[in-house]
Amino acid sequence: MTRWGEPFRESDALATAEVVDQAQIAIVVIDRFSLLRYWNPYARELFGFVGGRDYVGLSLLDIGIHESDREHASQLARRVLRGEPWEGTFAVLKGDSTWIHVRAQAVPMRDDSGEIDGITLIAREALRSGRVEEQYGLLERIGSRLASSLEFDSTVKGVAGILVPQFADHCFIDLYDHDRLVRQVSVHAEGWSPPADSWFDVGDEVRYPERHFVTQAMRRLETVVSSDYLFENSPNDRSDRVSRQVGVTSAIAAPLRARGEVLGVLTLALSGLSPRQKSSYGGFDRDLVGAIASRVALAIDNARLFEEERSTALAFQNSLLPSHFPPLDGLTLAHRYLPAGPLQAHGHGVQTQVGGDFYDAIPLSAGRVGLVIGDVEGRGPHAAAVMGQLRAALRAFAQADREPADILRELDEWVRQLGTPDGNGGVWIPSVSCLYMVYDAWSRELSYANAGHASPLLITSDSVEALDLEVTDRMLGVRAKGGSGEGIVYHQANLRLPLGATLVMYTDGLVDRRPVGGKADPERALERMTERVAEVADKDVEQIAEVAVHSVPGELDDDTALLVVRTHSEELALREGWFPSEASTVGAARHLAADTFKEWGVDRDQAELACLLVSEIVTNVVIHATPHPVHREFTGGGVLDSETPLDSGGMVDEFDEDWSDLLEAVAEEDESTDNPGEKEFLLRLRRGANAVWVEVFDHDLRLPRIRSAAADDEGGRGLYLVEQLASRWGSRPTPDGKAVWFEMPMHADEEAEIEVEEAEKDDEE
């Protein structure tokens, strides 16, 4: 071509492929199924195709389009295949892990018959040219990104990721923390980082000079552009030097305001880090950044409100669950609670993460422990409130040494009283699954009742499998929920755990996780958790708990509670003996206790106190134990006793500790009885790591109580002494009568010993 308008000579003609190869714009061809068929060299550079990889036949989505923009790409294909052009912007992760935003135009590609058999995509990097339509697209993208998140960190970092490097080389977000301005975000193009002690870093308190353009923007409450006097009033000389070295040419500062309050400031800057056609911001950029700042401020305010609401809800949830457990003899525990992710509820905002899953480990009499795992139906503050009341009631019932089945019957009644109106004239009552177990570390016996909860995993030296629970009854609250008036019977059973066994107790939120884009598969999830737990079966309970809660991938649609319990028998010992209920056996029982405490290494003073209390409770048994053994059965209808003491007039009265009956009278009664050996009691001594427990079992149904003895009473002070001297004491019904117990530390408190020594020194002085 010699002059404009003249045609090419045939010898000068360029092949179409050469033109496309030399074009400084990306050209990509995809077929009707959105599979890549062709791209030119510039497309390879723009999208960062990895050298040597064959992209032919891959989906358009495989070139690195961000998840949030995949719907745009799908929309592109649908629209163009209908014969309509498409234009838009989307984010792409290049092969070198850098982000860019691409402005693309797509048109249909037709065959000789006119049928659409593919799509031609023409693309270039967006926003660096400064075109107005692209900058409006930036505002739209930021709005979409802000609307998709209520997480504070992801909100501010997501905005910075969009602005850098497409609209700026540097992005700073500084927010007020009370009266301090603190840097929250500091993002730079090309992976550059400012030298130490030059520019403010994330977490630093930010102080701008009085005449600095950022200070002016916040004082005037308007967006300020600085180019000509950019390096005047720098925070310090080192900051000024780094700004000149990196080639900062222009900056914009926009105050972040929401609900009439200044939250902080957004600052953007251009420099020599990345090539672009423009080197300074103008009036349009100032207005654009001002609009962006208003949206960012509103998103930050919403995120903070949501974080505050979530923190309050989680604090409420955590206050309802135990944060730690006291040392428990024969057991080592680990626990986890994972709240569910935020749930979008149409027309109701975002639901909080709290729920009704709970766990507990309750110290019971004589070193036994109550283990609990449960799940209240639903989620939100109401489910958490129900859980809190339920756990408090369960703990009260358990500490009264009620049987597991009896406790579940009481809880079922309790749950039915927590119903709320359903809006249709009825009452909605949540269903609650609950597994309650009582473990005796000395005998390794586990007594349990189950209200519809999943069996724990049992870890032994040989295997990891579900614990075989013989009884499983309906969940709590289902009677009222189904409208049936029939009684629900909760059963209980016993089993013995193997030596060194570990239990993994969990709620269904752990196995009901939903894979991204898929459906929950509880059976497969349980298999996966079992496999992962088996890999760490010989590790400590904390490692097992950590592996278990992360063994199943997917989204947390429900909260999850986990309790890992490992049994062991170190430092445990037991000794017991049967004695006839005679006055002469009080001394024998005391001697057995004294010899045992000495063998176990109990401090002399503590042993003497314990022996004194042994005498007191054994004396009570000798005086008050009924001469005829009875049998107590725990049934679905309550507690049934096989026999009522003859001297009660048909009624079982309360045990009244009255020592007006002296031991001599008891001895005389024993001599006149034909078969004095018919009355007997069991003295059982237990040793833990730091304490001993004493239990006395007899066939009397009456539970002891403390009475107020008058000054001239000869008895009535035994249980008062037990209460004053023992760490804990109590009584509980048994299938054959009752047990009275107390706990005593093996070693005296060091602080108490120091106080005694100081008091003795003062007396000597």
Side-chain angles (χ1 to χ4, degrees):
M1 182 174 67
T2 57
R3 289 198 304 267
W4 179 258
E6 292 185 2
F8 279 106
R9 291 191 297 271
E10 186 175 349
S11 59
D12 293 332
L14 296 174
T16 303
E18 294 181 38
V19 174
V20 172
D21 287 347
Q22 296 179 24
Q24 295 299 298
I25 192 168
I27 300 176
V28 178
V29 177
I30 59 178
D31 62 17
R32 292 183 57 84
F33 304 101
S34 298
L35 302 180
L36 296 174
R37 294 305 177 190
Y38 170 81
W39 56 89
N40 68 341
Y42 191 83
R44 176 181 292 276
E45 178 185 343
L46 178 66
F47 293 109
F49 287 177
V50 178
R53 182 181 178 186
D54 186 7
Y55 285 81
V56 174
L58 295 181
S59 169
L60 174 65
L61 302 179
D62 291 331
I63 65 175
I65 295 178
H66 191 272
E67 258 185 54
S68 62
D69 288 329
R70 294 197 170 195
E71 179 58 32
H72 288 291
S74 300
Q75 181 188 34
L76 177 156
R78 291 193 298 267
R79 183 169 178 176
V80 176
L81 289 175
R82 292 197 303 264
E84 304 174 13
W86 182 93
E87 183 175 358
T89 305
F90 49 83
V92 172
L93 178 64
K94 298 174 65 174
D96 59 0
S97 300
T98 59
W99 284 99
I100 63 169
H101 290 82
V102 172
R103 186 72 177 177
Q105 292 176 309
V107 295
M109 188 173 62
R110 303 177 185 271
D111 58 17
D112 295 338
S113 64
E115 294 292 329
I116 299 175
D117 64 353
I119 300 172
T120 300
L121 184 71
I122 303 172
R124 66 183 182 279
E125 189 171 1
L127 301 176
R128 295 197 182 188
S129 64
R131 292 179 57 186
V132 172
E133 62 270 21
E134 293 177 355
Q135 293 174 339
Y136 276 122
L138 170 68
L139 186 60
E140 180 183 358
R141 288 184 54 75
I142 288 179
S144 299
R145 181 63 58 85
L146 294 176
S148 65
S149 173
L150 278 175
E151 299 286 342
F152 176 76
D153 288 339
S154 61
T155 295
V156 294
K157 291 178 180 178
V159 170
I162 293 175
L163 293 172
V164 175
Q166 305 304 314
F167 187 75
D169 292 304
H170 311 274
C171 176
F172 308 102
I173 297 180
D174 306 325
L175 299 177
Y176 278 110
D177 181 7
H178 297 93
D179 295 332
R180 300 168 60 246
L181 191 63
V182 178
R183 178 140 298 171
Q184 301 292 337
V185 173
S186 178
V187 176
H188 311 275
E190 306 298 330
W192 179 83
S193 297
D197 301 324
S198 57
W199 292 356
F200 297 110
D201 201 358
V202 174
D204 292 344
E205 181 178 0
V206 181
R207 297 175 181 270
Y208 291 107
E210 184 68 22
R211 299 176 61 85
H212 197 274
F213 70 95
V214 174
T215 305
Q216 295 177 9
M218 299 180 68
R219 183 186 299 117
R220 300 175 187 173
L221 298 181
E222 62 183 27
T223 305
V224 173
V225 176
S226 178
S227 297
D228 297 336
Y229 305 100
L230 188 62
F231 299 109
E232 294 185 5
N233 303 303
S234 293
N236 54 65
D237 294 340
R238 188 172 176 81
S239 172
D240 180 80
R241 185 164 58 253
V242 172
S243 299
R244 294 179 185 276
Q245 289 174 353
V246 79
V248 176
T249 57
S250 186
I252 298 179
L256 300 172
R257 299 180 64 200
R259 296 185 297 166
E261 180 183 359
V262 178
L263 306 180
V265 61
L266 167 67
T267 306
L268 303 174
L270 296 173
S271 69
L273 288 180
S274 58
R276 62 183 75 245
Q277 296 179 7
K278 58 187 296 183
S279 60
S280 62
Y281 292 120
F284 180 83
D285 300 313
R286 178 189 60 212
D287 297 340
L288 177 66
V289 173
I292 291 173
S294 64
R295 286 164 171 76
V296 171
L298 183 60
I300 289 174
D301 189 52
N302 288 337
R304 281 182 164 178
L305 290 175
F306 177 72
E307 292 282 353
E308 182 178 350
E309 176 188 351
R310 183 173 62 177
S311 298
T312 301
L314 291 179
F316 167 63
Q317 175 85 45
N318 292 332
S319 68
L320 298 176
L321 291 172
S323 58
H324 65 278
F325 296 113
L328 300 170
D329 285 307
L331 292 179
T332 304
L333 304 180
H335 54 90
R336 296 288 188 276
Y337 176 80
L338 298 180
L343 178 65
Q344 297 289 343
H346 299 291
H348 301 283
V350 178
Q351 293 185 6
T352 54
Q353 297 174 307
V354 297
D357 290 14
F358 63 99
Y359 58 85
D360 209 344
I362 308 168
L364 303 178
S365 63
R368 301 176 308 138
V369 179
L371 303 172
V372 188
I373 192 76
D375 184 0
V376 177
E377 176 188 12
R379 60 182 292 185
H382 178 68
V386 171
M387 178 271 289
Q389 297 181 67
L390 188 65
R391 178 174 165 262
L394 190 152
R395 187 169 261 268
F397 295 146
Q399 289 180 330
D401 276 313
R402 307 285 293 275
E403 293 293 315
D406 192 28
I407 288 178
L408 291 192
R409 282 192 296 272
E410 296 286 354
L411 290 180
D412 178 61
E413 180 67 26
W414 187 274
V415 169
R416 289 186 284 111
Q417 297 178 10
L418 299 177
T420 56
D422 59 7
N424 298 319
V427 177
W428 178 83
I429 295 176
S431 298
V432 180
S433 68
C434 181
L435 173 62
Y436 177 66
M437 304 187 292
V438 176
Y439 179 66
D440 187 329
W442 284 262
S443 65
R444 305 199 315 277
E445 288 187 355
L446 195 67
S447 177
Y448 69 90
N450 188 11
H453 200 84
S455 297
L457 291 182
L458 173 64
I459 304 175
T460 64
S461 58
D462 301 324
S463 64
V464 178
E465 57 187 4
L467 181 65
D468 184 16
L469 299 182
E470 295 180 2
V471 298
T472 298
D473 299 307
R474 283 183 285 183
M475 292 192 292
L476 307 176
V478 296
R479 172 169 44 172
K481 188 174 183 179
S484 174
E486 64 193 34
I488 294 181
V489 177
Y490 289 97
H491 305 84
Q492 72 183 52
N494 300 314
L495 55 86
R496 184 185 295 268
L497 294 181
L499 279 171
T502 301
L503 295 177
V504 180
M505 307 168 66
Y506 61 93
T507 58
D508 58 7
L510 182 58
V511 294
D512 285 346
R513 294 182 182 177
R514 176 172 48 86
V516 178
K519 295 183 179 179
D521 186 352
E523 292 185 3
R524 175 62 189 128
L526 180 58
E527 292 176 2
R528 182 182 179 90
M529 182 176 71
T530 303
E531 294 169 358
R532 293 298 311 280
V533 167
E535 296 173 359
V536 294
D538 58 340
K539 306 297 182 181
D540 61 55
V541 291
E542 290 293 338
Q543 288 179 273
I544 294 176
E546 196 65 20
V547 168
V549 296
H550 295 104
S551 60
V552 182
E555 299 181 7
L556 285 171
D557 291 334
D558 192 9
D559 56 336
T560 298
L562 179 80
L563 183 65
V564 180
V565 182
R566 171 162 290 169
T567 66
H568 55 83
S569 56
E570 294 86 353
E571 300 178 325
L572 300 183
L574 184 143
R575 182 168 296 176
E576 61 184 21
W578 284 96
F579 298 90
S581 296
E582 302 173 358
S584 60
T585 61
V586 175
R590 180 187 175 104
H591 286 310
L592 173 64
D595 293 342
T596 303
F597 294 152
K598 182 177 180 181
E599 179 183 335
W600 286 350
V602 180
D603 286 353
R604 180 178 177 181
D605 291 341
Q606 295 298 106
E608 289 182 356
L609 287 177
C611 288
L612 171 64
L613 302 187
V614 168
S615 297
E616 296 296 337
I617 61 175
V618 167
T619 299
N620 278 335
V621 168
V622 171
I623 294 175
H624 298 288
T626 178
H628 299 288
V630 298
H631 178 72
R632 173 173 292 150
E633 183 180 359
F634 298 92
T635 68
V639 181
L640 298 180
D641 297 326
S642 62
E643 183 178 343
T644 302
L646 298 176
D647 59 350
S648 63
M651 300 292 291
V652 180
D653 59 345
E654 267 191 324
F655 186 98
D656 187 3
E657 186 205 14
D658 183 0
W659 281 24
S660 58
D661 304 332
L662 300 180
L663 288 176
E664 289 80 359
V666 175
E668 293 176 1
E669 180 182 349
D670 291 340
E671 292 176 358
S672 63
T673 304
D674 294 336
N675 187 11
E678 192 177 31
K679 296 192 302 178
E680 59 181 2
F681 64 89
L682 171 66
L683 174 64
R684 178 178 294 165
L685 308 173
R686 300 174 185 248
R687 185 194 68 192
N690 299 299
V692 292
W693 287 270
V694 174
E695 294 177 284
V696 177
F697 298 83
D698 66 70
H699 300 299
D700 187 22
L701 300 179
R702 298 168 297 170
L703 298 179
R705 65 180 178 87
I706 298 177
R707 60 172 294 219
S708 299
D712 55 350
D713 285 346
E714 298 184 13
R717 298 175 179 82
L719 293 183
Y720 178 77
L721 289 175
V722 174
E723 182 185 44
Q724 294 298 311
L725 298 178
S727 299
R728 292 191 303 154
W729 82 280
S731 61
R732 68 177 187 273
T734 66
D736 298 320
K738 71 171 181 297
V740 182
W741 61 273
F742 68 85
E743 176 186 352
M744 181 71 71
M746 295 177 61
H747 308 289
D749 185 20
E750 294 182 0
E751 294 183 1
E753 291 180 352
I754 294 175
E755 291 179 358
V756 171
E757 291 177 359
E758 292 179 350
E760 291 177 351
K761 291 180 180 179
D762 292 340
D763 292 341
E764 292 176 358
E765 294 176 356

